[in-house]
Amino acid sequence: MRIDIVTLFPEMFAGPFDASIIARAREAGVLEIAVHNPRDYTHDRHHVVDDYAYGGGPGMVMKPEPLFECVDAVRAMASPPGKVVLLTPQGRLLDHDIVAGLAREERLVVLCGHYEGVDERVREGLADDEISIGDYVLSGGEPAAIVLVDAVARQQPGVLGSEASLEEESHAQGLLEYPQYTRPPEYRGMAVPEVLLSGHHAEIAKWRRRQSILRTAARRPDLLARAALTPEERRLLDEARGGP
Ligand code: 9D3
């Protein structure tokens, strides 16, 4: 997969893509990342990329021409041209299903907005999709692009070991993780649950599943609607809620 990122701040991407999983995916050749600056696609002496909003109001708006021309050039650099994803607070809220869908694309062009936003014609005539990473205000789309690329990179075949991909599946199933422990068996008065030291693999699996379900119910009940639970597990939940 190839991902092209269009940003006024390419220097923000120097570190994050050169470590850990993303670096491994790039080295393995399953992920190619290129960063482009729309400022390089201006034609005026001062390389102006923003302007005042028509109708007035605070802040500057990103001009359409540098973005359109940059994206046109970037799409011509490789094939297929790739879906254009605009990162914006007004986009669809990113979740596992959206990540999995984007990860299946052969190519993506990711646009990072900045200032108070981008000229509306960028949405209208350039973006195929608009995505937000959550209901809080960022200074620009750059941190969101890093989040998106990380999540998509993990989905590329061969990037994760088989053990890690099973873990990913469990999150896709809509349950939070069970509590994890390593040595020592007791630390500052806090003991590792006895069952984990027992060596009874079936009991351990049962305990972990139960912890995942109870923890999801306590912290993220919204996830349970989509979780695949057995009738017995549904009963466990009703009991924990003090129901019938
Ligand atoms: C006063 C202007 N803001 C009203 C809340 C609009 C605004 C425009 C642009 C606020 C932030 C930004 C910059 N943010 C992004 O480009 C962005 C973002 C975000 O802020 N939160 C979550 N996901 C994303 S994706 C891109």
Side-chain angles (χ1 to χ4, degrees):
M1 176 178 202
R2 170 170 169 149
I3 304 178
D4 291 278
I5 298 168
V6 173
T7 171
L8 292 174
F9 300 93
E11 65 276 12
M12 287 182 72
F13 297 90
F17 295 156
D18 297 317
S20 188
I21 300 275
I22 299 181
R24 213 204 294 166
R26 296 175 81 181
E27 283 158 18
V30 296
L31 180 66
E32 189 183 346
I33 301 173
V35 184
H36 314 271
N37 193 341
R39 198 176 291 279
D40 298 335
Y41 294 82
T42 52
H43 304 288
D44 62 306
R45 176 200 289 268
H46 294 106
H47 305 288
V48 173
V49 291
D50 63 336
D51 206 341
Y52 300 98
Y54 274 124
M60 304 292 275
V61 176
M62 281 174 79
K63 291 167 65 60
E65 309 95 309
L67 283 170
F68 273 85
E69 289 188 38
C70 182
V71 169
D72 283 350
V74 164
R75 297 185 95 195
M77 285 174 192
S79 71
K83 239 191 202 175
V84 177
V85 177
L86 176 64
L87 295 171
T88 162
Q90 303 176 32
R92 302 193 285 151
L93 201 53
L94 188 65
D95 64 12
H96 175 79
D97 289 343
I98 295 177
V99 167
L102 293 176
R104 280 193 284 272
E105 300 283 332
E106 204 176 314
R107 202 175 166 209
L108 288 177
V109 178
V110 177
L111 298 192
C112 304
H114 228 273
Y115 304 106
E116 295 307 299
V118 301
D119 187 285
E120 188 63 21
R121 287 160 295 188
V122 170
R123 293 177 206 290
E124 211 178 293
L126 203 52
D128 297 306
D129 201 353
E130 299 181 34
I131 289 173
S132 161
I133 63 162
D135 295 333
Y136 39 83
V137 180
L138 299 171
S139 310
E142 287 79 10
I146 293 165
V147 166
L148 182 67
V149 169
D150 185 273
V152 163
R154 295 173 58 79
Q155 298 286 317
Q156 296 308 304
V159 170
L160 300 179
S162 54
E163 211 176 309
S165 39
L166 283 179
E167 177 225 320
E168 189 95 18
E169 249 168 64
S170 91
H171 198 273
Q173 264 184 36
L175 290 177
L176 299 181
E177 262 181 68
Y178 50 77
Q180 305 231 64
Y181 295 87
T182 184
R183 288 186 290 186
E186 193 189 312
Y187 184 67
R188 297 197 178 188
M190 296 175 280
V192 176
E194 200 63 48
V195 62
L196 297 179
L197 310 174
S198 69
H200 286 109
H201 297 297
E203 284 302 307
I204 290 170
K206 222 170 99 184
W207 181 86
R208 285 177 166 171
R209 177 82 185 168
R210 195 183 153 89
Q211 291 293 319
S212 276
I213 292 167
L214 293 176
R215 188 164 271 200
T216 307
R219 299 184 183 191
R220 293 293 308 278
D222 58 301
L223 293 180
L224 284 174
R226 301 189 45 187
L229 300 184
T230 66
E232 194 185 340
E233 287 170 342
R234 292 278 171 201
R235 272 198 297 280
L236 164 70
L237 265 182
D238 291 338
E239 262 172 55
R241 287 169 177 146

